Amino acid sequence: MKQGALLGGSASDRHLLEDALKHLHESEYAGTSATLASLAGALSIPLEQAGLLLEELLQTKLANPSGTSVQLTDAGRDEARRIVRAHRVYETYLARETGIRADEFHRHADAAEHRLTPEAVDALADRLGRPRYDPHGDPIPTRDGNLPPRRGVSPLEMPDGSHALVLHLEDEPASVFRAAASAGILAGSRLHILGRRNGCLRVSVENRECELPQAVASALEVEPCDPPPPMRPLSSLTKGESASIIYLSPTLGGGERRRILDLGLVPGTIIRREFDSMLGTPTAYQVRGTTIALRREQADRIFVEL
Amino acid sequence: MSTPKDILRAAEKLRWELGPHFQDDIAAKVSGAATALAGRYVRNPSDASGPSWQRRLDLILTGRWTGLPAMALLFAIVLWITIEGANVPSGLLAELLVDKIHPWLKTLALNIGLWPWLAGLLVDGVYLSTAWVVSVMLPPMAIFFPLFTLLEDLGYLPRVAFNLDRIFQKAGAHGKQALSMTMGLGCNAAGVIATRIIDSPRERLIAIITNNFSLCNGRWPTQILMATIFVGALAPPAVSGLVAAASVFFVALLGFACALGSSWLLSHTLLKGEASSFSLELPPYRPPDVLRTLYTSLIDRTLFVLWRAIVFAAPAGAAIWLIANISLGGHSIAWWMVTVLDPPGQIMGLTGVILVAYIVAIPANEIVIPTILMLTVLLSGNANVNSPGAGILFETEGHVLHTLLTGAGWTTLTAVCLMLFSLLHNPCSTTLYTIYKETGSWRWTGLSAALPLALGAIACSAVAAAWRLLAF
């Protein structure tokens, strides 16, 4: 690929160039324009250094000037999507196969994206079943560099009383991501927009009400969806009571979700609460003729009909 | 008009529409289809939850008040059968391999004209320590592993994980660690292999690193010996047996606490991360297939572990013989090692001999006590005890042992600290090798050795300091 041209300087120079490409790509994808100032801001580097980076990108024909802003060339876009692909595939790997905390995915992937060769990324993607979306709900560029156009709107633009499906949760800054994640909101969550109060957006997610500060709400991208059927968590069943599973929270992710699906806890399954462990949790449930023990934290995130 | 390429391109485009969780729908469809098929062709005579005695049994074995006593009772029985049951075959094996074959081999070696040093190295060193490991290790493992597998087959072991999960969850670990730790009571190498049932790599590493805190079969004899001739002897004769048993039980319990404590420590420092899922199938209780159980547990677990132990014990036997028989500057290597290690040993309430024994007997905990005895006699020149010679492992009767050890300066403190150190020291080399094989990393292997060793040094030193301060 274009690596030969890029690999002029040291490894950290190459990292900066790749980060600059990512920034140009991100701006293009979001429909905003990338400038010298936005580049310096995104990479937290002085303006002169950003200038040198831009010059290098222009010289190697990865970017073209367009008025006051800079745009990717086709070659530059390919290169940028290769890096974005490495980042998102690696985050998917972290989410599915390691115990690393969700708010640390980004940091690890930022290091890995510069290290992984395209072949290694492809091999990793093959192992993961060629995922299309990363754990934050972002589409992963295919190996040919295809990426669907951005869709979705800010939840702030949704009318009160509407229902919205979260498509994307921005993972930067980490504090905003953590705030959303701790409210139980991830890509795939269904929000009920209740209203606005003191600049906060009041939403209900999985029967819990919470208030999202402006910064957190604008880190989300949503699309309108149908209202979900009324439901309650599996943990609210009483001993011996049966109900049909209707929904698995997106907070059950990665290997945990796969395992639960593999055990047959899929929407439509009848489940009955059996008995609690000696210490109160986990609890044994009867599903399809087998007894499965689940921790309280999991039973809280599996929903059954009301 | 539509070539395969067009179709592929259209499919690729459509896949974006599926969203991140389309696997849910596929899984639901697959399960639904399977259920429909099963409903058509499988007849289910009884209620899906199985016969009611199964449920009653579950209520007892996992009950709030009955779960713990039932668990304690079952494990006490298993350990008792193992320890008591192993005595006779161990004695027979020792008589055959150590008392009969060893002298015969020695005579044979000398008769065919082998140099005495080579005969000593091979017969007294390599052969004898291997024979020792086999006779001490084989019977308890051949009893413990089948019993363990029987409990597994009966369906009880998953209930143990179910019962204890909350405790492990609090420590940032996985409930199935209860199973690998129970397995560790038989052998830590087998316990480390048993951690394969834990899916999450982080929680599996925690289980591997802390498995050594399960007091393995090889260490029970040391515990029981020290508890009997030192700790139990403090109590009036009527209850001395009970006191000795209680002290061993306490050490095993301390091991459990250390495992939980270090799991917590690891999951909050080096192995930080999300607590993974816990979904455990609780299979119905069923009568085990005894023959198959015997076969698999003997072949897969017992012989496998025994073979590894033998591979490591043979060179250790040579090393033990050599340090006792090679002299440097008028003293044996053993003397030099003991002299150097005595000061740190004293700080820890132990002796130099004990530390040297733990270094050279790293292949198997079983030969620690015989090595201590051999070194003690070698270095103190005690003529009251009938020692077979330098570098030759042996054991002897309780009261003789007490005299021998107190003669070498042992006190109750030494015994208590030895019990602690026997619990809290690096895993044997068989286990370390297994940890390396399972983790593929020298770093985690190193940590698995350093963590218990550091804990042991601290615990022994603290007990010794407190003991001396209070001047028992």
Side-chain angles (χ1 to χ4, degrees), chain A residues 97 99 101 130 132-133 139-140 146 148 256-257 259 272 275 277-279 282 288 291 293 295 297-298, chain B residues 12 15-16 21 24 31 35 49 58 62 68 162-163 165-166 169 173 201 273-274 277-280 282:
Chain A
E97 303 203 347
R101 285 191 359 221
R130 305 195 171 200
R132 281 301 175 95
Y133 291 91
I140 300 173
N146 287 329
E256 192 175 10
R257 189 181 195 87
R259 173 116 176 99
R272 186 172 70 221
F275 51 89
S277 142
M278 183 176 96
L279 301 169
R288 298 176 195 276
T291 310
R295 281 180 180 167
E297 289 78 0
Q298 288 167 300
Chain B
E12 190 174 295
R15 231 194 111 178
W16 293 116
H21 288 310
D24 291 18
S31 289
T35 312
S49 61
D58 261 331
T62 64
L68 194 63
F162 179 64
N163 276 343
D165 178 60
R166 191 171 188 186
Q169 188 188 3
E274 205 100 344
S277 58
F278 176 84
S279 46
L280 178 77
L282 300 176

Side-chain angles (χ1 to χ4, degrees), chain B residues 27 29 35 40 44 91 136 144 150 153 167 173 175-176 235-236 261 263 274 280 330 337 341 353 371 396 406 456 462:
Chain B
K29 288 278 183 328
T35 312
R40 228 180 305 153
N44 202 352
V136 183
F144 181 85
L150 274 180
D153 272 12
I167 302 178
K176 286 185 191 164
S263 295
E274 205 100 344
L280 178 77
M337 289 174 76
L341 287 174
V353 166
T371 308
T396 183
T406 42

